[in-house]
Each structure stands twice: as structure tokens, then as C-alpha cells.
Amino acid sequence: MVIYLDGKFVSEDEAKISVFDHGVLYGDGVFEGIRAYNSRIFRCEEHIDRLYAAAKAIMLNIPISKQEMTEVLLETCRKNNIKDGYIRLVVTRGKGDLGLNPKNCPSPSIFCIAATIQLYPEEMYIKGMPIVTAAQRRNKATIVDPQIKSLNYLNNILAKMEANRAGVPEALMLDHDGIVAECTGDNIFIVKDNVIYTPPIHIGILDGITRRTAMELGEKLGYKVVEKEFTLFNVYNADECFLTGTAAEAIAVTNVDERVIGDGQAGPVTTAILHAFKEYANSNGTDIY
Ligand code: PXG
């Protein structure tokens, strides 16, 4: 595997970050997870824009332009012969001292890994997936805004460990008031009476790029798509439920906290979205080659 690290393409063994990097010491940095389908980068510009927006929010000046960053992403894919894959683009605060002050970190570090990912077992993409609600609440937007895709994912990791303890692949997270927020690495949708609902960004969730795509596809398919706050009661009594994320793609949820959702199978709206997503992802995007 060839990795991009601070202006150079190096081997995996050579791709090393300083122990004084504040990305390591404090989780001070931002990242993107990006997909390649059929030799094209899925929603490339939106991922690059989100990376720079997150960097701006934490006053991290990325030392290369968006255009140069796009070229880093594409060239890392080319060097690894990626046709279908998962790309991790990371910008850390860079090397500093043992104090947390970012003033002492003169230059951010940039790295890019182009590899593959399979988040959930293959059969769950057909049959649907069980999830549980985590006791761990999602970060409040007034503390560290979940719109910042930062290197500190402990909030989500703690929830993921609750999923592990329950023997399911993913955990649902609520906001501080008990409103449904999102999962540890995916956004949530429910379907009731043929209307598709998803929580609004302002409650404190990541503005997911797959979420945006699913909303657009839902509307194109003729469904009403509504951003609205809802509770666990609404999830348990939904006709259908599904998750979206770059790593997860789109996947049906058929059981939440041991309540069967709908008839316990991927429902018609979810199935239509999943198919539309596959088709869209395989025929759109920025050419790698
Ligand atoms: N919510 C959160 C908290 C995320 O981290 C999404 C939603 C989906 O957003 P996109 O833009 O990808 O549609 C994410 C993205 C993993 C993993 O291993 C998941 C993400 C990032 C890194 C790793 O599950 N998720």
C-alpha cells in the first residue's frame, strides 16, 4: 500500500506520525472517509468542502488548496489501483510540544490512505440489521459540534462498545434530551406512512454526505422527505428504518432494542432507496483515471 504523507508517497512502514503530533496527543485534527465506486470518487467536492469547513471551525489552516487536496486524493487512489475502495483523508494539527496549545504546532500534517472497508456482515445488507440504543449520549453541538468530523471519536467509540456488549453491529445515539440523533458512524432514517423522516442537523449530528444523497434519492423516487425531531417511540413504531454512511453505505435496520421494526424485513421504501443508492454511486462521481 502506498500512503500520501506530507507531500510524499511512502510505503505503509514509512508512513509514520510524530508522537508529538497533536492529532495523537489530543485528537486535534479533522478527517474524511470517502468512497470510490467504479473508478469514481463519490461526491468528491462535498467531502473536500466538509474537510475544509471542519478545519475552519477549529482554526486549522490547511496548507494546501482544495484543488491540491483533491489531487492528493486522486493520486493516492491511482498509486493503489483503486477502483472500488474507501479513502481516509486526515489533517492533524501537527507536531507541537506537550502542552495542548495549538500555537506551538507550526505545520499541520496531511495524510491519505486508500484502501477498502466492509463495515457490516454481507448478509445484513440483504436481511437488515439489529441495533441497540446506547446509554452514551451524542455530543452536544454547543460543546464539540458533531458537524466537526474531528479526530476525537471517543463519544462514538463508547457507544460502539455498547453495541459490542449487546452483540449487534451498531448503536443508536440520542441527544441530551433523548431525541434520536444518529448512530456511531451513520445517519438514521425512519419511514412512517410512506414519508421518510431523518433528524435535523441542528440537534447535533454529522451532516452526512450519504444522508444528503439518500434524501435526494428519496425525493426523486417520489417520497416526501422530512427533517424532523423524533423519539425512540417513533423508531419502534416506524414502518421501516435504515442507516446511511460512507463506510456503511445504506442498510436496513429491522430490530431496535429488541423491538421488531415493521415486518422485520427490509421494507419497500428502504429497498427502493438502497437500490437507487447503488445505481447512483456506481454511475456518478469524479473520475480517478
Ligand atoms: N455520523 C457520524 C457520526 C459519522 O462518523 C456519518 C454519520 C455518515 O456520514 P457520511 O458523510 O459518511 O455519509 C459518519 C461517517 C466507521 C466510520 O468505521 C464511520 C464514519 C467515519 C469513519 C469511520 O464506522 N462515518
Side-chain angles (χ1 to χ4, degrees):
M1 196 187 296
V2 180
I3 315 274
Y4 172 89
L5 175 60
D6 291 330
K8 293 193 193 109
F9 288 97
V10 296
S11 69
E12 201 175 322
D13 286 344
E14 291 168 295
K16 299 254 162 68
I17 282 277
S18 167
V19 294
F20 290 96
D21 192 303
H22 281 207
V24 178
L25 288 175
Y26 300 111
D28 187 353
V30 291
F31 78 101
E32 278 297 316
I34 305 165
R35 277 260 181 187
Y37 293 99
N38 201 15
S39 300
R40 293 189 188 97
I41 302 294
F42 182 76
R43 302 230 162 179
C44 185
E45 204 179 328
E46 286 176 50
H47 280 287
I48 299 288
D49 284 348
R50 190 171 66 181
L51 180 75
Y52 280 74
K56 182 173 187 178
I58 68 164
M59 292 178 85
L60 173 57
N61 288 320
I62 301 179
I64 61 174
S65 69
K66 284 186 182 180
Q67 206 178 340
E68 288 165 324
M69 189 65 86
T70 306
E71 195 45 43
V72 163
L73 173 65
L74 294 170
E75 191 58 22
T76 310
C77 288
R78 289 181 203 123
K79 290 233 180 316
N80 291 282
N81 299 313
I82 294 288
K83 289 191 174 69
D84 294 277
Y86 179 81
I87 303 118
R88 179 59 56 90
L89 194 49
V90 182
V91 186
T92 74
R93 187 74 68 180
K95 210 169 144 181
D97 58 22
L98 288 176
L100 62 78
N101 196 340
K103 262 188 170 167
N104 301 322
C105 304
S107 56
S109 257
I110 302 171
F111 61 88
C112 184
I113 308 165
T116 54
I117 198 169
Q118 158 115 42
L119 207 55
Y120 304 127
E122 194 59 49
E123 75 267 13
M124 290 191 183
Y125 283 90
I126 300 157
K127 289 188 179 159
M129 180 167 83
I131 62 172
V132 294
T133 306
Q136 177 73 31
R137 297 294 171 96
R138 190 69 177 103
N139 280 342
K140 268 171 96 86
T142 48
I143 299 172
V144 178
D145 194 325
Q147 286 193 80
I148 301 167
K149 213 163 153 52
S150 88
L151 293 181
N152 189 330
Y153 249 57
L154 262 182
N155 179 218
N156 311 54
I157 291 164
L158 288 168
K160 185 67 117 181
M161 291 192 296
E162 294 187 50
N164 291 346
R165 269 168 39 212
V168 299
E170 184 55 303
L172 177 58
M173 302 180 79
L174 309 177
D175 79 356
H176 212 68
D177 300 315
I179 301 296
V180 172
E182 62 178 337
C183 291
T184 72
D186 4 79
N187 293 108
I188 186 165
F189 289 78
I190 57 172
V191 181
K192 187 76 179 174
D193 299 328
N194 276 322
V195 178
I196 303 172
Y197 298 93
T198 196
I201 305 296
H202 70 80
I203 71 159
I205 59 170
L206 185 73
D207 183 358
I209 289 166
T210 324
R211 173 185 178 277
R212 293 179 203 161
T213 310
M215 290 171 73
E216 288 169 21
L217 293 173
E219 275 167 4
K220 260 195 205 149
L221 288 164
Y223 296 106
K224 199 171 161 200
V225 183
V226 182
E227 289 180 276
K228 191 171 186 253
E229 296 181 10
F230 55 84
T231 65
L232 276 176
F233 178 89
N234 304 115
V235 177
Y236 298 152
N237 290 289
D239 300 327
E240 304 179 33
C241 178
F242 62 94
L243 309 181
T244 63
T246 298
E249 308 185 86
I251 187 164
V253 170
T254 45
N255 190 303
V256 180
D257 299 331
E258 296 186 358
R259 278 79 159 179
V260 173
I261 306 303
D263 62 3
Q265 293 177 354
V269 180
T270 300
T271 304
I273 298 267
L274 264 53
H275 282 148
F277 178 77
K278 265 216 161 71
E279 202 174 293
Y280 178 90
N282 278 291
S283 52
N284 287 277
T286 305
D287 286 325
I288 299 173
Y289 302 97

